[in-house]
Amino acid sequence: MSIALDRGLSLLEQLAAHPEGLPLAQMAGDLDMPLSACHRLLAELQRRGYVRQQRRQGDYQLTTKLVSLGLGYLSSSGIVDVAEPLLERLAQRTGELVRLSVVDGDRLTWVAKAQGLRKGLRYDPDMGQDARLSCTASGHAWLLTMSDEDALTLVMRQGLGAPADYGPRAPTTVKALLGVLHAARVRGYAVIDEVFAPGMSAMAVPVLRRNEPIGVISVAGPRLRLTVERMHELAPELLTAAAELGPILNTNSLMGRPPLGKG
């Protein structure tokens, strides 16, 4: 049963990374799974409404059922309702994308956003994704609250980002990453410039509850508008917003325990 569960979850994660769909043989091969076992699991997921087949003997795709479950969970937790006014205020003030991510064990996941710019170039990544800890402002803001040892433990579980996959300034060594984190600790907030994506910049501050990180607020946009100087100007507003949000989220069921056995 545990093997079937692990394989089923692996299939869902694989399909989530390929919204256009995947053929049965490719999924079985990528996951080193017998073709017959892969087909049985997909048939069961299809029966439960999590997967659909584009056509008979065609590629498989996720349905919106997983999305619906996640959105329903967020709605019942109240986090979006609580955070929305604050995120909207920051988005209007900055004119850029403002996001809230939450700490869940050893993961940092984006769960809510507000877009300040209504027209022109907009930077708008998908919600529900885990932040890449080594090369996102949100990841750096979370890591700055930890010791170097704990931060590196979490980063190494994900791996360091490569410039070919992210921005040209993505840190590719432990020394480079620690240098970035040390500077962020001194400031109290994270700043990146062409680290997560070419031509993009971002800043982020941790949201604390009783001195423990429970989430991160970030602002991201094109570096031509969101310059490093501009981000430093906006830092007091983000720090104030994070200080406001921490107590509001004090009893929120979505906020899990800190990673690595802390708390």
Side-chain angles (χ1 to χ4, degrees):
M1 178 60 105
S2 61
I3 294 176
L5 178 60
D6 181 70
R7 286 175 169 176
L9 292 174
S10 295
L11 283 170
L12 292 176
E13 291 173 353
Q14 187 183 35
L15 287 172
H18 297 86
E20 73 283 358
L22 289 171
L24 170 64
Q26 181 177 340
M27 286 186 284
D30 290 346
L31 297 175
D32 193 23
M33 188 186 307
L35 196 66
S36 58
C38 187
H39 184 265
R40 286 196 301 271
L41 287 170
L42 287 169
E44 182 63 20
L45 289 170
Q46 189 172 7
R47 186 186 71 80
R48 296 292 300 271
Y50 290 97
V51 169
R52 65 168 173 265
Q53 200 170 13
Q54 292 177 341
R55 60 190 181 280
R56 188 171 179 82
Q57 296 183 339
D59 292 353
Y60 289 86
Q61 289 178 308
L62 287 183
T63 68
T64 59
K65 187 170 183 179
L66 274 179
V67 177
S68 178
L69 287 174
L71 291 176
Y73 178 50
L74 287 177
S75 177
S76 62
S77 74
I79 186 172
V80 175
D81 292 338
V82 168
E84 182 180 11
L86 187 147
L87 298 183
E88 286 288 350
R89 186 185 76 200
L90 282 174
Q92 291 301 314
R93 173 70 179 87
T94 63
E96 304 295 352
L97 176 68
V98 177
R99 292 190 289 179
L100 172 68
S101 53
V102 296
V103 174
D104 185 9
D106 61 357
R107 300 164 55 228
L108 184 67
T109 305
W110 288 300
V111 298
K113 66 181 178 182
Q115 181 64 257
L117 190 66
R118 302 306 177 187
K119 57 184 178 180
L121 180 61
R122 295 173 60 178
Y123 181 52
D124 197 1
D126 292 335
M127 288 294 94
Q129 295 182 355
D130 290 349
R132 187 75 181 193
L133 300 182
S134 68
C135 52
T136 62
S138 294
H140 292 178
W142 184 28
L143 296 177
L144 72 83
T145 66
M146 311 173 196
S147 67
D148 286 350
E149 292 75 14
D150 286 351
L152 290 178
T153 296
L154 292 179
V155 168
M156 291 310 164
R157 288 176 186 171
Q158 280 190 329
L160 285 168
D165 299 322
Y166 297 96
R169 301 179 183 176
T172 58
T173 66
V174 167
K175 181 179 180 180
L177 177 61
L178 289 179
V180 172
L181 294 183
H182 292 170
R185 288 194 189 104
V186 172
R187 288 190 303 263
Y189 57 93
V191 170
I192 64 171
D193 182 24
E194 291 198 305
V195 172
F196 183 65
M200 308 307 300
S201 60
M203 65 178 302
V205 298
V207 178
L208 304 178
R209 180 183 65 194
R210 294 191 292 274
N211 294 321
E212 292 288 353
I214 59 173
V216 172
I217 298 176
S218 65
V219 176
R223 68 191 300 260
L224 291 177
R225 286 198 310 257
L226 192 61
T227 63
V228 172
E229 292 76 17
R230 172 72 171 150
M231 288 189 282
H232 291 316
E233 292 173 0
L234 293 171
E237 291 193 51
L238 262 70
L239 290 165
T240 298
E244 293 177 13
L245 193 56
I248 295 174
L249 297 177
N250 185 46
T251 59
N252 196 286
S253 61
L254 211 122
M255 303 303 175
R257 291 174 59 84
L260 308 176
K262 291 183 177 181

